[in-house]
Amino acid sequence: MPALVLRTARHAPLTTEPCVHLVDDDEHFRIAIGLLLSTSGIHTKGYHSAEHFLSVYVPQDNECLLLDLRMPGIGGLELQRKMNERHINLPVIVISAFAETPSVVETIRNGAIDFLEKPIEEVALIDKVTKALATDRSRKAETGDLHRRLHRLSDRERQVMQGFIDAKTTQEVARHLGISPKTVEKHRVHIFEKLAVSSVPELMCLLARQVK
């Protein structure tokens, strides 16, 4: 069975089986990895680009990300940065046919937990994916459904939240984003409701738990 390309809407129900998100522009590679992981009972969702992943990603109960380092458009490093901005906190395993030391080091700094060089060995792949999924389960056991709640935030709400995280006042956030203080306050209310917090310090504590 070929690797699946996710075409589900953002409000789709989550799956309970382990899921590996595979971002790689090589269709044949996505299919091969999907077949390989399926033999271990691991479901794969394939994405042909970083842009594709960002546009349709839906959180799963137990998940990790296999990420190609070199792709047309947004590359692996830039996707990691955008995921961090959107608080998409997945265990990331970087894959590449080119084991460039500086790039690999940078992916680790951006939060990747491991690296695989193409061509990928079956035993190494299964081992690293299994460990990444275990890491994800451990994180979610501590943070509950925080990952899902963060995913509900709009892009503007994330920008406003980042302003508060950076210790900006309502007026400063408004100036930075080019919106009115009243609009910032409306976004703050929505952020607090979606994340089930009542203050900025509580929000900070909640996010600190996510990145442990």
Side-chain angles (χ1 to χ4, degrees):
M1 180 184 296
L4 299 179
V5 175
L6 180 62
R7 300 184 185 277
T8 312
R10 287 179 180 270
H11 60 273
L14 304 181
T15 61
T16 55
E17 62 185 337
C19 177
V20 173
H21 302 280
L22 173 57
V23 182
D24 194 297
D25 61 307
D26 186 337
E27 181 181 7
H28 296 294
F29 180 76
R30 296 198 307 271
I31 292 173
I33 294 299
L35 286 169
L36 181 56
L37 291 177
S38 68
T39 63
S40 296
I42 300 172
H43 180 58
T44 304
K45 291 183 182 293
Y47 309 82
H48 55 76
S49 67
E51 293 89 339
H52 182 205
F53 172 79
L54 290 171
S55 67
V56 301
Y57 165 72
V58 175
Q60 305 295 313
D61 288 328
N62 185 202
E63 59 190 340
C64 69
L65 174 65
L66 281 175
L67 175 60
D68 189 19
L69 195 57
R70 287 188 170 185
M71 294 180 290
I74 298 176
L77 283 171
E78 184 61 23
L79 176 57
Q80 279 187 285
R81 297 187 187 103
K82 290 183 177 295
M83 288 171 61
N84 290 337
E85 291 172 359
R86 299 186 184 195
H87 300 280
I88 301 176
N89 186 28
L90 298 181
V92 176
I93 302 171
V94 172
I95 52 179
S96 179
F98 309 93
E100 311 100 327
T101 302
S103 297
V104 173
V105 170
E106 186 65 22
T107 63
I108 300 299
R109 287 176 178 169
N110 284 349
I113 65 171
D114 218 326
F115 174 80
L116 282 168
E117 185 175 3
K118 295 179 181 179
I120 293 175
E121 296 181 2
E122 178 177 348
V123 174
L125 173 67
I126 298 298
D127 178 62
K128 292 180 186 295
V129 165
T130 300
K131 290 178 179 177
L133 291 170
T135 296
D136 184 64
R137 287 194 298 272
S138 177
R139 287 179 183 175
K140 287 175 178 172
E142 293 189 5
T143 61
D145 65 347
L146 173 59
H147 186 43
R148 300 181 202 177
R149 283 184 276 160
L150 285 168
H151 191 67
R152 294 174 58 203
L153 298 179
S154 68
D155 288 342
R156 178 63 86 189
E157 287 167 349
R158 291 190 186 96
Q159 291 172 342
V160 171
M161 180 176 70
Q162 188 60 53
F164 290 136
I165 291 171
D166 294 338
K168 288 184 171 67
T169 65
T170 297
Q171 297 286 343
E172 289 170 336
V173 172
R175 284 196 298 271
H176 177 69
L177 297 178
I179 57 180
S180 70
K182 186 176 180 180
T183 299
V184 171
E185 282 302 307
K186 287 182 179 179
H187 285 310
R188 182 186 64 79
V189 170
H190 293 156
I191 292 166
F192 285 6
E193 287 178 348
K194 290 179 180 180
L195 299 185
V197 298
S198 58
S199 66
V200 172
E202 189 177 346
L203 171 64
M204 298 287 286
C205 290
L206 189 68
L207 295 176
R209 287 170 51 204
Q210 187 208 23
V211 297
K212 277 184 177 182

